[in-house]
Amino acid sequence: MSFSSEVREELNRQYGKSRHCQIAEMAGMLEMEGKINPVSREITFMAGNEILKEKYLKLRKRAFGEEASDAKILEALRWDGKQTQILRTDGLLLQRTCCKRAFVRGAFMAAGSISNPNKAYHFEIVCRNMEQALQLQEIMEYFDMEAKIVERKERFVLYLKEGAQIVDMLNVMEASVSLMNLENVRILKEMRNSVNRRVNCETANINKTVSAAVRQIEDIRKIRDTIGFGSLPYQLAEIAQARLDHPDATLKELGAGLTPPVGKSGVNHRLRKLAQIADEIP
């Protein structure tokens, strides 16, 4: 089962306690995928989304009872029925914070998706027109989320790309189990990234140290094979021989083996002097 399907399954079990929240969630569903038959005035859904239809019928029963007519539902949704689709839900239905949550939940149930967080972070709701996308964007801004809108195949897609904001979005929709699953993935990914950064940093430092040691040994051998160590001051000859004897040693280790011991900066200074001498040899 995809992560989107897992979220929908969880949201299918989540209901607002108040009738106004149930109506707001129905509005989110119908705005994204609902339509009215121009002849029978019957409310139906455009897509073959069975879990959406199941949730809608449960909400309808909770909010209006068994015998409610579509006309009564249209009246509650402030939808006059002259249009075959809801162009934008009436703002009076979305004034409460709980109703905003329910509306987003319904919109996601109808037209939303979330990518597998192990691969990428991407949350989206596909709207039928720009007015719907802007309305959803405004609601997300109310919850401190910065959703973007892009046009795709004559639809308007509202999306989030940051893992932290997608976690917040699941919290808004009250999908607590999916939220924890996503957070676990985020923690593991961050740990892997942290380890990889550390390994890369250590590898870079090792490569840098090895490259420097190779250059030092080349310079020292050049001096040894041309002018000889006897032409060098004692301190430079000592460090030159130490580097040849211990090609894998760090500067600190080289310094500790000298008599008297020399700090890392002192060893580095002497090796730079050897490099200058090597450069001056024809």
Side-chain angles (χ1 to χ4, degrees):
M1 182 183 292
S2 69
F3 189 64
S4 280
S5 297
E6 291 176 8
V7 175
R8 279 198 179 85
E9 288 287 350
E10 182 176 3
L11 295 182
N12 189 34
R13 300 186 295 271
Q14 179 64 40
Y15 291 90
K17 296 179 180 178
S18 303
R19 184 172 183 269
H20 50 75
C21 293
Q22 295 161 6
I23 292 173
E25 186 167 354
M26 291 173 65
M29 294 176 170
L30 291 169
E31 180 175 312
M32 298 301 151
E33 287 294 332
K35 65 177 182 178
I36 297 179
N37 185 302
V39 177
S40 66
R41 315 311 294 164
E42 179 186 8
I43 298 174
T44 56
F45 285 98
M46 297 177 66
N49 185 338
E50 295 305 319
I51 195 169
L52 172 66
K53 295 176 182 177
E54 176 187 337
K55 179 70 179 291
Y56 172 78
L57 291 175
K58 291 178 181 176
L59 285 168
R60 176 176 174 147
K61 181 178 178 180
R62 286 171 182 246
F64 298 95
E66 294 280 2
E67 305 299 327
S69 65
D70 284 352
K72 185 175 181 180
I73 293 170
L74 292 175
E75 181 182 356
L77 294 171
R78 296 176 171 271
W79 189 3
D80 59 20
K82 294 178 181 178
Q83 300 150 330
T84 58
Q85 298 176 1
I86 298 179
L87 299 180
R88 178 184 169 104
T89 296
D90 192 305
L92 291 175
L93 298 175
L94 308 176
Q95 291 184 324
R96 299 179 176 89
T97 297
C98 55
C99 291
K100 288 180 171 66
R101 290 177 179 273
F103 177 78
V104 173
R105 183 164 61 240
F108 180 84
M109 286 285 292
S113 65
I114 303 181
S115 63
N116 182 344
N118 287 294
K119 297 179 180 179
Y121 296 132
H122 184 83
F123 171 100
E124 71 175 40
I125 296 177
V126 181
C127 304
R128 293 195 277 203
N129 56 62
M130 179 59 83
E131 289 76 14
Q132 293 173 347
L134 290 172
Q135 184 178 46
L136 267 175
Q137 186 182 52
E138 182 179 337
I139 292 173
M140 290 188 185
E141 286 175 356
Y142 175 85
F143 292 107
D144 297 324
M145 277 169 279
E146 298 179 2
K148 302 271 194 303
I149 299 173
V150 64
E151 187 172 1
R152 183 199 300 161
K153 296 180 180 178
E154 299 182 353
R155 293 285 178 122
F156 296 86
V157 181
L158 190 79
Y159 69 91
L160 299 168
K161 285 257 180 215
E162 293 184 12
Q165 292 209 330
I166 296 174
V167 167
D168 290 341
M169 196 71 249
L170 290 171
N171 183 51
V172 167
M173 297 190 298
E174 300 177 283
S176 56
V177 175
S178 298
L179 184 156
M180 292 304 301
N181 290 338
L182 178 54
E183 279 286 51
N184 289 337
V185 171
R186 290 183 67 223
I187 291 169
L188 288 174
K189 288 176 76 171
E190 182 56 35
M191 288 177 62
R192 291 192 198 103
N193 291 338
S194 178
V195 170
N196 288 338
R197 284 193 296 269
R198 184 174 300 176
V199 169
N200 290 339
C201 182
E202 291 176 355
T203 300
N205 289 336
I206 291 171
N207 291 338
K208 183 178 178 181
T209 300
V210 170
S211 298
V214 169
R215 289 195 304 272
Q216 293 161 7
I217 290 171
E218 289 175 351
D219 290 340
I220 291 168
R221 284 174 177 168
K222 182 179 181 181
I223 294 171
R224 181 195 64 186
D225 298 340
T226 53
I227 64 175
F229 290 166
S231 63
L232 300 175
Y234 171 76
Q235 292 179 337
L236 295 184
E238 182 187 29
I239 194 64
Q241 189 60 56
R243 173 49 88 195
L244 289 180
D245 293 341
H246 305 285
D248 298 327
T250 64
L251 297 185
K252 184 178 180 180
E253 291 168 344
L254 285 176
L258 301 179
T259 306
V262 177
K264 182 178 176 180
S265 60
V267 172
N268 194 40
H269 175 72
R270 295 182 187 186
L271 290 171
R272 284 202 304 268
K273 292 290 291 184
L274 290 172
Q276 292 174 3
I277 294 171
D279 287 342
E280 293 171 0
I281 298 174

